[in-house]
Amino acid sequence: MMETEQTAADSWLLPPQSELNWLELSALSGTSGIAGVDEVGRGALFGPVVAAAVILPDCALPELLAAKIKDSKKLSSSRRKQLAQQICASAIDWRIGFASTAEIDRLNILQATLLAMKRAVLKLKVQPALCLIDGNQLVKDLLLPQQTIVKGDERSLNIASASIVAKVWRDELVLRLASKYPMYDLIRNKGYGSQKHLLALQQYGLSPLHRKSFRPCQF
C-alpha cells in the first residue's frame, strides 16, 4: 500500500539552492519519468486557472538549456510560443488541466489550482515516477510520489516547461474569448485586473466567466 504523499516524496530530498542549478541536472540526474507541474492564471479575474504537466526526456534537457528556458512570466509572448512548440514536440508526454470559474468560486482559488494540477497529471498517458509541483502545496489525493518546490519554475526544467505550456495555452484561450467580450480589453490584459479591465467591470458588470469570489468582481 502506498505511503502518504509526503512520505513517498521523502526519498527525493533536495539539496540547498547553492548546490544546484537545475534539479534534473543534479539531484535528480538519472531519474526518468519526472513530471513538472505548474499553473497560470491564479491571479486573473476572468477565465479558468490552467495547469500543465510535462515529462521531458533526458535528451531534451541540453536543448532547453541552450534555448535559455526560464519562468514563463520572464519571457516575451513570441518567445513563449516558440519554446512551447519546442517543449511539446520533444516531451515524452504533456497535458493540460484546468478548473472553471464556477469551480474557483465554489472551492476557492487555491483548491481550484490544485484541482487543475491534479487533472493535468491524471491526463498523462505516461505515468511519472515523480511529480515536481511548483509551490508549497501538495496535490490532494494524487496517488503518485510528489515533491513541492517553491519557485520551482526557476529550479526545475520540467516545471519551467509546464509553466510555459500552461501560459501559452491559457493566453490562446483568453484571446479566443476576447472577441465575445471585447469591452474588457482581454487581448491586452489576458483576464488580469488592468485599469481598463476594472473600469469595464464598473461600466458593464460581470461576464459569465468572471470570478465572482474575487474582490474586484464584487460590487
Side-chain angles (χ1 to χ4, degrees), residues 49-112:
V49 60
V50 175
V54 174
I55 303 175
L56 295 171
D58 290 342
C59 62
L61 303 185
E63 296 177 2
L64 291 174
L65 285 171
K68 300 187 183 301
I69 188 172
K70 62 180 75 173
D71 173 10
S72 65
K73 295 183 290 295
K74 299 178 180 179
L75 297 165
S76 67
S77 176
S78 60
R79 186 60 182 147
R80 273 196 303 269
K81 290 179 181 178
Q82 292 172 350
L83 282 172
Q85 291 177 346
Q86 181 178 350
I87 291 163
C88 293
S90 60
I92 294 172
D93 198 1
W94 67 273
R95 301 291 161 178
I96 293 290
F98 65 87
S100 68
T101 52
E103 289 173 320
I104 292 169
D105 290 337
R106 176 168 55 87
L107 298 172
N108 75 44
I109 185 59
L110 172 59
Q111 296 306 317

Side-chain angles (χ1 to χ4, degrees), residues 38-51 72-73 99-101 104 109 112-113 116 163 166-168 170-171 174 189-193 211 214:
D38 201 2
E39 56 74 29
V40 295
R42 185 166 174 167
L45 306 179
F46 174 98
V49 60
V50 175
S72 65
K73 295 183 290 295
S100 68
T101 52
I104 292 169
I109 185 59
T113 296
S163 171
K167 173 67 173 169
V168 170
R170 187 182 187 279
D171 282 356
V174 173
N189 61 53
K190 305 301 188 297
Y192 288 84
R211 302 175 183 179
F214 278 38

Side-chain angles (χ1 to χ4, degrees), residues 37 51-53 95-97 115-124:
V37 187
R95 301 291 161 178
I96 293 290
L115 177 60
M117 289 179 165
K118 181 180 178 181
R119 286 170 172 168
V121 172
L122 293 180
K123 285 182 179 179
L124 290 169

Side-chain angles (χ1 to χ4, degrees), residues 1-2 5 7 38 56 96 118 159 176 191 195 211:
M1 183 174 182
M2 182 169 289
E5 292 161 328
T7 302
D38 201 2
L56 295 171
I96 293 290
K118 181 180 178 181
I159 292 178
R176 291 196 297 272
Q195 185 176 5
R211 302 175 183 179

